[in-house]
Amino acid sequence: MTAELVRGQNHTLPQTRLEIRVSAGTPVVAGATLGDERGTVRGVEWIAHPGSPQLPGLEVSQQAAADHRLAVDLEALPTGAHRVTVLLALPVGAGGPARFGAVPAPFVAVTGLDGAEIATFTLTGLDAESAVSALELYRRQDAWKVRAVGQGYAGGLAEMLADQGVAEAAGLAGSIQEAVTRGLARSVTRPPRPQGGDRVRHATGAADHRPPPPPPAPEPLTDPATTPEPHSAQGPAAASPAADGPINYAHPRRQHTAPPSPPPAAPPAQPGQAAQPVAGDATGWSMDERLYNQIWGMFEDLARAVAAYRSAVDFAESRMDQEIDRALSVPRNRIGGAGDRAREGARAKRDELAVRAREALDRDLAQLAAEAAVVEPALPAAYAGWANPVWHAHQVPMEIPMALRIGDLHLPERTDLRVPLLVRLPLERGIWVDSGRTASEAAAPMDTDRLRRLAVETAVTHAARLLAVYPPGEFSVHVIDPAGAAAGPLAPLVDAGVLAGPPAAGPGGVASVLAHLTRRVDLVQMAVRAGAADSLPPDLDTGEQLLVVNDFPHGFDDRAVTQLRYLADEGPAVGVHLLMVADREEASAYGPVLDPLWRSLLRITPVADSHLADPWVGHAWTYEPLTVPPGSRVLEQVLAAVAAARRAAGR
């Protein structure tokens, strides 16, 4: 039976391997401190936070998120640790709320590894506080208990750490917030939380090694037509290596406020087998929306399945080390064969646990691979790769799609299982194609010129995809190529006549395009704020605008750099977006001035590179750019169709 705690109440913990789940309704930073018998934190080495997420027996999330899972093994804590305090704080400078009184009350649950709740606590009554000690696990007479704390701090993370006796708390708080900012910059933005049910997994005959998602935090009512997101939990999951059941694709918790389009019916399953996957088996009001949610569901399922596997393997390694240490702590075991037998026994147990965890992972991966094989051929053009036949029959649509595919993601546990990376339309943030030499193995054998050309070609294909999925005349592309170095890769756009004007070259061309787009942002912002959209100049193009910038910062003076930063910050809200091709090292002369610019953009690469993080667990995913098949003319055909549609529409 779950104990629903109030402030100050405690409850005995029946086990020592736990998960602490946090649902906050808005991105928060989750961390934990270890304390001695008097609750004193001995130093930074006893603090787990996004910049240093792992301690012995404790693991927290590497980034801010609305939902977290913290893994705790009380038996593996450092010697002298008698208390674990769970901390929550609002990110600084992320554009979100600055106090807990402005967000739904955070909900915290202590669960076993099977997902069964042991104790819960809703942190009500917070107002001006921006950080809070949520709860603590503490040892009392050889037994562990949980206590609901709910102590808030208006002075934020620094005040909370100082209250626990941490030296230089302000500096540590600053470094934690900086780590959070970096994490948010590299994280793929997840879609909104769903109105209805979740995509869920059910075990058949054995416990699922991924606990079910936590109950959602209270949320403001939203339009039922807004995009649902197929999951709700976030954070690294410490999981037992128990056997895993198949994925249930029936979505038994799906609920709707009004009947959406009926999903396709799944083929009947044989007795004892999982239902066969079908394309579009997710919540949604249209097939495109259901496919979008299904892809994000696959993304999260893969992230959590791999997190469970890695956590199980880590647990097996940790238990092996503990058993060996225990055996060798007895002096007589160090002599003769007793120590060797202890090592062999511990390693055998480790291997058994690792094999069981891999078997569970392989079952999940097989189910996801089967789903991917069904979903990929059914994708509309906006979600499909260039090799999909749907592009050969593509017609320019009359309304914009929900999202656009800009690449694929995969993890090393199975590199052939790839998840489409979809970004919402209209774009919510700009895109940066990194033309520099990264740590990627794919980039190592390439020279600088080859990387730069590939980066421009990547930008051209993304611009073409955006032009192809917007209605005629509702999306314009401007190009800045100060030195004219990208004439070859830009040729498909130029030859098709789909650009708003010739690529701008030289300082004068750079200044002219930036001034034009800055003026558009200013005018639309003023009209929106004044509620006078009909007062815009008749010659102003109110369609979406994309600015492709090559070879930054060449040709940019200080004023141009300031304008570019302004467009990156203010442009997306009024329909002006950036697609930059740049090497950050070449802009290093500007120092930290450009740091906000790089953080505001979604970084992708022209070759495979492991730099993007998922918003749930924080794995480093390998990004694979979309490429046109060798010898294919699909890019030219698509751009010709865009040009023809524009002529037919009189644009």
Side-chain angles (χ1 to χ4, degrees), residues 116-165:
E117 290 183 348
I118 299 169
T120 64
F121 176 40
T122 301
L123 285 78
T124 58
L126 298 175
D127 187 10
E129 299 89 346
S130 59
V132 60
S133 294
L135 54 77
E136 63 182 13
L137 314 178
Y138 63 99
R139 193 200 307 265
R140 181 65 54 85
Q141 296 178 350
D142 296 328
W144 284 91
K145 296 185 177 183
V146 56
R147 177 187 291 121
V149 180
Q151 175 63 53
Y153 297 86
L157 190 57
E159 182 183 356
M160 181 166 56
L161 293 173
D163 190 47
Q164 296 196 28

Side-chain angles (χ1 to χ4, degrees), residues 359-388:
E359 290 173 350
L361 175 66
D362 287 342
R363 283 194 292 272
D364 279 347
L365 296 182
Q367 289 283 356
L368 289 169
E371 187 174 13
V374 172
V375 169
E376 187 70 37
L379 296 178
Y383 300 177
W386 286 115
N388 193 311

Side-chain angles (χ1 to χ4, degrees), residues 10 18 41 53 88 332 334 344 411 439 452 464 534 602 626 631 641:
N10 60 44
L18 308 162
V41 179
L88 305 178
R332 65 173 177 272
R334 301 175 197 159
E344 291 175 2
L411 291 171
R452 288 178 176 174
D534 55 352
L602 174 62
L626 297 177

Side-chain angles (χ1 to χ4, degrees), residues 67 74 153 348 357 393 396 547 576 622:
D67 304 286
L74 297 173
Y153 297 86
V396 178
L547 174 59
V576 177
T622 298

Side-chain angles (χ1 to χ4, degrees), residues 439-504:
S440 167
E441 294 181 2
M446 296 185 182
D447 59 37
T448 301
D449 291 340
R450 174 62 175 158
L451 278 174
R452 288 178 176 174
R453 183 178 181 87
L454 285 176
V456 180
E457 290 175 353
T458 299
V460 168
T461 59
H462 288 316
R465 292 173 72 87
L466 285 163
L467 285 165
V469 301
Y470 268 81
E474 292 191 17
F475 195 87
S476 300
V477 177
H478 309 260
V479 175
I480 290 179
D481 185 21
L490 288 172
L493 296 175
V494 176
D495 295 346
V498 294
L499 295 179

